[in-house]
Amino acid sequence: MTPRELPVAGARNLFGGALAFKRDQLGFLAENIRRHGDLFRFSPLGVPMVLANHPDHIQHILVDGEERYDKDATIFKVVRPVLRNGLISIADKEQWSRQRRMMAPHFTPRTVAGFAENMTSETVHMLERWERRPRSAGDVLDVTDEIGQLALRIVNRSLFSADVSRAAQAFERAFAAANNVLGSFFRFPFPPLSWPTARRRRLRSAIDDMDHFVSGVIRERLSGEGAGQTDPQRPDLLTLLLHSVDDDGTAMDLEQLHHEVLNLCIGAFETTTNTLSWAFYLLARHPQAEQRLHAEVDQVLAGRVPRFEDLPQLTYTRRVIDETLRIYSPAYQTMRHAREEDVIAGYRIPSGSNVLLNSYLLHRHPEFWPDPDRFDPENFAPERVAARPKHAYIPFGSGRRVCIGKHFALTELTLALATVARGHRLLLPDGAPVVEPEPLITLHPRGGVHLRLVRR
């Protein structure tokens, strides 16, 4: 049977729908799913894109047809000035395979268990700092900013065995600036970032600040100044990466090490900051779910700080995290480049297409998620998970290029949430506005999440 041609979205709009895509990316895609179904093409400013929005499509692109697709796609070209040749965005499959082989042993659940104490102790220190805040500071916390600093302290203590409290905010600001520039450019790629504009200068300054942070820590370790801070019995990730070798005995060079460390900092920071911000916001808006979370934490922990070994018993806590990742995945979109012509669900996918996978929309697909906009941690009860296709839920991607930090992130998110829930609540301030998602390269709570801290 001859493949059908894809329906076209935005064909009658100026620049192939580019202005509508720029104005409201998620709204544009959602509206065209309603009009055309789960597969359609559009070409903002002439860039050929295909949206694929069904679990079968995900299986086909990321798993079964993985050799027919690569990361030489528009969205990764946009972020590559920041991420360079790190695991997140590298397009060369051979180089990616080499890096993944070298790094994967350091991100297994067993290895991550050694970093669990970093996650809980830093969260405890954050809570102690919150409690010491002077009353004049008010009782409303900028939760997104606070969790961002926590995330950077955890990842850098795990990566470098270092206290980076003073540098955390500078790195956070630099990444936020880069994310805004690149998110805006992805939605409307004009003028080119190579042009000498104010936007390009902001991006260059942000990249320089992040590079300065990473290179400084690596330089200190190699010079021996930071070597004494790591426990030989529990080496940090930087030590492990410095001693990693491929099958042929070669190690990664310093430039590649820099790229991978930067990717790890950004990936871990973004996932934790946004997921926990949204989780506390959703719990504040759904007190019954919050009560059930507290009941579990009280029963399992009896007031003590959680440990890695508690994770199998913190089942509802993990469901809260999973449901938050369903509704507001930080990595809410990814993309693949079609290396050759393909057929998906009877439709022709032209060679060279940028195939967009948007989990914000996939995770709201009414065929797999009843009442998809409602926060319901029971969506992740075992019987419901078993009844859904595997690829209806992809917060960390899938296939060979699934996020290497998945176990680290889920461990950190679950332990940090349980640590806070032991003795504290975060409540909506009076008259608090609804927080809307802001789709940049990653998905942010627009304006940040601001909540009141109270003791339980």
Side-chain angles (χ1 to χ4, degrees):
M1 181 181 294
T2 303
R4 292 170 288 173
E5 293 298 316
L6 289 163
V8 180
R12 298 181 180 179
N13 296 331
L14 188 61
F15 305 128
L19 296 182
F21 189 69
K22 175 186 180 182
R23 183 171 55 251
D24 182 4
Q25 176 184 337
L26 295 176
F28 172 85
L29 296 174
E31 173 61 25
N32 281 287
I33 288 172
R34 286 190 289 270
R35 289 184 179 182
H36 303 296
D38 290 328
L39 269 174
F40 60 85
R41 64 185 176 92
F42 60 111
S43 301
L45 294 186
V47 178
M49 295 193 189
V50 174
L51 181 77
N53 192 55
H54 191 281
D56 292 347
H57 307 161
I58 309 301
Q59 172 80 25
H60 179 94
I61 295 162
L62 297 185
V63 182
D64 300 337
E66 189 264 344
E67 289 303 317
R68 292 191 294 273
Y69 295 87
D70 61 31
K71 281 198 170 183
D72 193 25
T74 294
I75 196 169
F76 293 109
K77 292 176 181 177
V78 169
V79 301
R80 204 160 284 137
V82 175
L83 300 175
R84 268 69 58 92
N85 284 326
L87 281 183
I88 295 175
S89 66
I90 187 171
D92 184 282
K93 291 192 174 185
E94 184 176 340
Q95 186 177 355
W96 173 85
S97 295
R98 176 181 182 273
Q99 289 301 114
R100 183 84 178 203
R101 284 194 303 270
M102 295 172 68
M103 296 175 65
H106 311 316
F107 290 88
T108 63
R110 179 179 179 182
T111 306
V112 169
F115 301 119
E117 192 274 333
N118 295 346
M119 301 167 182
T120 54
S121 65
E122 289 294 344
T123 307
V124 168
H125 292 157
M126 177 186 71
L127 291 169
E128 291 172 346
R129 183 165 47 80
W130 287 359
E131 290 281 6
R132 292 195 302 268
R133 291 185 337 134
R135 297 296 298 176
S136 59
D139 60 355
V140 176
L141 289 163
D142 184 338
V143 173
T144 304
D145 180 64
E146 294 283 343
I147 297 298
Q149 294 180 57
L150 170 67
L152 284 170
R153 285 195 295 270
I154 290 173
V155 71
N156 287 292
R157 184 169 164 186
S158 301
L159 266 173
F160 311 130
S161 301
D163 179 1
V164 295
S165 299
R166 286 185 296 178
Q169 283 186 309
F171 186 97
E172 185 178 10
R173 286 193 298 269
F175 178 76
N179 201 5
N180 273 279
V181 169
L182 296 178
S184 172
F185 183 75
F186 173 70
R187 292 193 304 275
F188 195 82
F190 187 85
L193 289 175
S194 58
W195 288 16
T197 62
R199 180 167 67 175
R200 183 182 187 278
R201 289 192 293 273
R202 289 197 303 273
L203 178 62
R204 186 68 261 167
S205 176
I207 293 172
D208 288 346
D209 287 347
M210 289 186 284
D211 280 345
H212 178 75
F213 171 79
V214 171
S215 62
V217 178
I218 294 175
R219 188 167 55 249
E220 285 184 8
R221 177 61 57 84
L222 293 176
S223 70
E225 295 177 26
Q229 298 174 356
T230 184
D231 181 351
Q233 301 303 314
R234 298 176 64 184
D236 58 27
L237 280 169
L238 181 56
T239 300
L240 295 172
L241 293 177
L242 282 166
H243 292 88
S244 294
V245 294
D246 197 10
D247 296 341
D248 61 3
T250 59
M252 66 177 86
D253 59 33
L254 286 181
E255 181 180 32
Q256 190 64 44
L257 177 66
H258 180 107
H259 295 169
E260 299 301 354
V261 169
L262 179 63
N263 277 234
L264 291 172
C265 286
I266 289 174
F269 161 72
E270 270 297 275
T271 299
T272 302
T273 302
N274 292 304
T275 304
L276 284 180
S277 295
W278 284 118
F280 289 125
Y281 175 73
L282 290 166
L283 288 167
R285 294 185 63 88
H286 298 85
Q288 289 184 328
E290 183 196 46
Q291 290 169 11
R292 187 166 173 186
L293 169 69
H294 290 159
E296 176 178 89
V297 167
D298 292 347
Q299 179 180 0
V300 173
L301 303 179
R304 63 175 172 79
V305 175
R307 299 186 292 262
F308 184 84
E309 294 75 21
D310 295 316
L311 291 176
Q313 284 73 52
L314 293 170
T315 56
Y316 191 77
T317 309
R318 171 61 185 273
R319 290 179 198 175
V320 169
I321 294 299
D322 283 333
E323 177 69 346
T324 303
L325 286 167
R326 179 187 74 82
I327 297 176
Y328 297 120
S329 294
Y332 74 107
Q333 61 183 356
T334 188
M335 186 176 275
R336 293 294 186 269
H337 164 256
R339 303 175 66 185
E340 58 192 61
E341 187 170 298
D342 196 12
V343 177
I344 299 179
Y347 287 97
R348 185 178 73 89
I349 308 299
S351 176
S353 296
N354 295 280
V355 183
L356 180 62
L357 312 175
N358 188 297
S359 63
Y360 182 91
L361 300 169
L362 178 72
H363 292 171
R364 287 166 170 76
H365 199 302
E367 186 176 340
F368 311 105
W369 304 98
D371 200 1
D373 289 316
R374 183 167 71 93
F375 176 67
D376 181 10
E378 287 307 296
N379 277 321
F380 291 90
E383 63 277 10
R384 293 200 196 177
V385 172
R388 279 193 305 270
K390 175 183 178 181
H391 292 100
Y393 179 65
I394 54 165
F396 296 97
S398 187
R400 293 179 65 228
R401 295 198 69 155
V402 67
C403 175
I404 197 172
K406 175 180 177 180
H407 296 304
F408 188 101
L410 289 172
T411 298
E412 178 183 12
L413 292 166
T414 306
L415 290 177
L417 180 60
T419 301
V420 173
R422 285 179 315 141
H424 295 84
R425 300 178 68 197
L426 288 162
L427 306 179
L428 290 170
D430 293 339
V434 173
V435 179
E436 299 289 347
E438 182 177 19
L440 304 173
I441 293 299
T442 54
L443 192 71
H444 279 245
R446 190 184 301 275
V449 170
H450 297 80
L451 299 171
R452 276 195 309 117
L453 177 73
V454 299
R455 292 195 64 88
R456 288 180 55 199

